[in-house]
Every structure is written in structure tokens, then in C-alpha cells.
Amino acid sequence: MKLKSKLSVALAFSGVAAMAYAVGSPHLTSGRLNPSYAPPVFQPPTVTLSAFPLQIAPGGSSTLTWKVDNATSVTLEPGFGSEPIEGSLVVYPTATTEYRITGANSAGSTSNSVTVSVTSAYPGSKPVISLFTATPNVVNSPATPVTLSWSTTNANAVSIEPGLGSQPLTGSVLVFPAATTTYKLTAASSSGSTESSLVVSVGNSLCVTSSSQFCTQGGRFQVSLTARDQRTDKTDTGFVMFSSNIFGYYALPNLTGNTSDPAVFIKVLDGRPVNGKWWVFWSSLTDVELSISVRDTTTGIVRTYNKPSGATPSTFDTSAF
């Protein structure tokens, strides 16, 4: 088989069928898998931004401090534009101002903001929230632990919503958000109250592994299949014998009665350095009817590959996603 692009395919599976690789792919060294290659994890950046103090008098200053992980560009608004991935900056707002920092990469962008309040009274007349952060502020799955941390002065009561209620004046608490959540901290005293909010983002299209499906490329792609024996009309969703960050293979115990008999091999490669696409390869060692599905959890796109009964092909899709 010959391709007009920089691709050569050789499918091998358990010493019987051939595995497929792309010439020039970072997965290969001299035609073999490169053991030092670590597939990139394509996730939106993680952004932390804080300001100290959060409340100033007219003419005062506040220091913004930020750190952005897994980003190719960082911007700070209003008015500052491009910034390094980690740094600090002294600002002199003349009015209450929301500062927002955004980190971006090929998987998307993440923003975090903090508000510096300019009051007519000097700090001390009302509570000051000097710190309110979430670590991490972006998680991929519901119920992942996130630590909220805060520090206040001039307050005699602190509460956090939703659901956390009264808290120490300075401290931290572990939360397990089931969905993207805005947390609001209120510091109060006899002189008034001060509020600060932050957002914890939770992914909602996640890859879930089970005995019949597996995940590749850092959890971005979810692989599943169905099989039907044309002789008996029995069906099977397969049993995952093995999976890695790149490939996995199935047995069909409902059809064969054997969980250790490999029948289908499926691999997802990052071909973007070559043509900007994710590639899907699969190979079959059975003549039963197959339907293979690969779902991109980032975009929700599903590619389905069907094999008719009686055939034992191997094929590839170098423009899958």
C-alpha cells in the first residue's frame, strides 16, 4: 500500500497483523517506536491570578501576581496586552477595576480575574480580602478536589458560597465541584462587607474507561466498538485486553468465549506535525462484523468505522479529527 504523503503503513498485531506508523512522526525513530517520546497532553491552560491588596484608597497601588501553565500566549487586560507566563505588576487604578488574565494554547483558552476596589475610605475601615484563590482552577472531571484558599484583615466573619457557609478569617478548604462553579467569599465587620469571586471550570465531555472502552492521547479520545457474528447473530461490545496512551486491543469473549484472544487493534496518533490532523488506525483478526467508534471529547465529534462480515481488513484515517 503506498500513500502520496509522508506516510508508510505496516500493520502488525501480536506477531500476526501489522502495526501502523507514519514516517517522520515523532512517535518513531528509524521506523521504530521512539521510547522517549511523550505524547503532548492537550488541555486548556491553568491560570492563577491574585492581587494584594484587593482594596486600596484613592492614589494607592496593588500588586497583581499571576502564573499560567501550559500556555503559548498570555494577555492581561485592561490595557496591558501580552505578558510572560509568570510575573507580577504594580497597578494604580483610579477606580474599582477588574483585571483579567487569559492563557491560550491549541486546546483553547482559560481566563481568571480579580477586582481591585478603590474606596473613599482608607483600608481598615472595611474588611480587606488579600487572597482568594482556587488550586487548580480548571479540572477535567467532576468531583476532582480543588483547594480554595483565602486571607482577610479587618473582618470578624467570613463566609463562602455556594454551600460552604461560615469559615475562618484566614484558611483553606477542599471542595469537589460537580460542574463549573463560581465561589463567592464575603468578609464582614461592623464597618461593612467586602466580596471576592472566582470560577472553577469543570470539563463536561470527558473520556471514561471501562472493560469495553478505553481512552488515548491524555484522555482526549474515547474508543469503543460493537461486534456481530453473522453465523449466530450474537453481539459483543468487546473486552479491553490492554490499552496505553496511544493504542489498545480487544477480545470478543461473548463471541469466542475467550478473554485472552485478541481480535481488534485500534490506535490514535497525533499526526498534526505532518498534516494538522489526528490519525486513526485499526486492524482486525476476525471475520465478524465490526463497528468501531472514536470520540473526540474536546469537540464531541465521533468517527465510526464499519467492517462487513467475512472480511479481515486493516485500514487507516489520516484526516480523522
Side-chain angles (χ1 to χ4, degrees):
M1 181 181 298
K2 184 177 294 182
L3 296 178
K4 294 181 180 180
S5 62
K6 296 180 180 179
L7 174 68
S8 66
V9 177
L11 299 173
F13 175 50
S14 293
V16 182
M19 296 175 66
Y21 304 105
V23 174
S25 168
H27 299 82
L28 299 179
T29 301
S30 301
R32 297 177 178 275
L33 279 175
N34 182 354
S36 65
Y37 175 73
V41 177
F42 292 95
Q43 299 176 343
T46 300
V47 179
T48 301
L49 174 65
S50 62
F52 181 82
L54 287 171
Q55 182 176 301
I56 62 174
S61 66
S62 179
T63 300
L64 304 179
T65 302
W66 67 87
K67 182 178 180 182
V68 182
D69 294 322
N70 193 30
T72 56
S73 66
V74 176
T75 55
L76 178 64
E77 300 296 339
F80 293 98
S82 180
E83 294 291 344
I85 60 173
E86 184 174 1
S88 61
L89 184 68
V90 178
V91 294
Y92 300 84
T94 58
T96 296
T97 302
E98 181 186 48
Y99 295 93
R100 178 176 297 273
I101 194 162
T102 301
N105 63 19
S106 60
S109 62
T110 304
S111 297
N112 205 344
S113 63
V114 66
T115 299
V116 177
S117 300
V118 179
T119 67
S120 58
Y122 285 91
S125 62
K126 289 177 64 177
V128 175
I129 303 171
S130 54
L131 174 72
F132 186 36
T133 61
T135 307
N137 67 330
V138 177
V139 295
N140 286 329
S141 58
T144 298
V146 174
T147 300
L148 303 181
S149 301
W150 66 92
S151 180
T152 69
T153 56
N154 303 328
N156 54 29
V158 167
S159 63
I160 300 176
E161 299 299 335
L164 297 175
S166 179
Q167 297 291 328
L169 303 183
T170 295
S172 63
V173 66
L174 205 60
V175 294
F176 301 85
T180 297
T181 303
T182 298
Y183 292 94
K184 182 176 72 174
L185 183 148
T186 302
S189 72
S190 58
S191 300
S193 64
T194 303
E195 296 180 349
S196 181
S197 298
L198 56 81
V199 177
V200 176
S201 299
V202 179
N204 57 10
S205 298
L206 305 171
C207 187
V208 178
T209 60
S210 70
S211 62
S212 61
Q213 59 190 25
F214 64 90
C215 303
T216 66
Q217 298 295 346
R220 176 164 179 171
F221 297 97
Q222 181 171 287
V223 179
S224 60
L225 66 75
T226 58
R228 186 185 72 88
D229 189 332
Q230 66 275 15
R231 292 169 289 268
T232 64
D233 206 34
K234 288 184 177 180
T235 61
D236 195 352
T237 56
F239 173 78
V240 180
M241 295 177 60
F242 173 83
S243 66
S244 71
N245 193 50
I246 299 174
F247 68 90
Y249 49 90
Y250 281 89
L252 301 175
N254 286 355
L255 305 185
T256 66
N258 191 345
T259 60
S260 60
D261 179 16
V264 185
F265 171 89
I266 305 165
K267 177 167 66 174
V268 180
L269 289 179
D270 185 0
R272 291 178 299 174
V274 178
N275 68 347
K277 300 291 186 179
W278 293 91
W279 302 350
V280 175
F281 297 84
W282 63 270
S283 180
S284 159
L285 293 176
T286 176
D287 68 345
V288 301
E289 179 183 306
L290 293 174
S291 179
I292 298 168
S293 294
V294 181
R295 178 172 69 91
D296 185 342
T297 64
T298 300
T299 64
I301 295 173
V302 178
R303 300 297 185 205
T304 301
Y305 306 95
N306 296 311
K307 181 189 82 68
S309 60
T312 57
S314 299
T315 191
F316 57 89
D317 180 359
T318 56
S319 299
F321 300 96

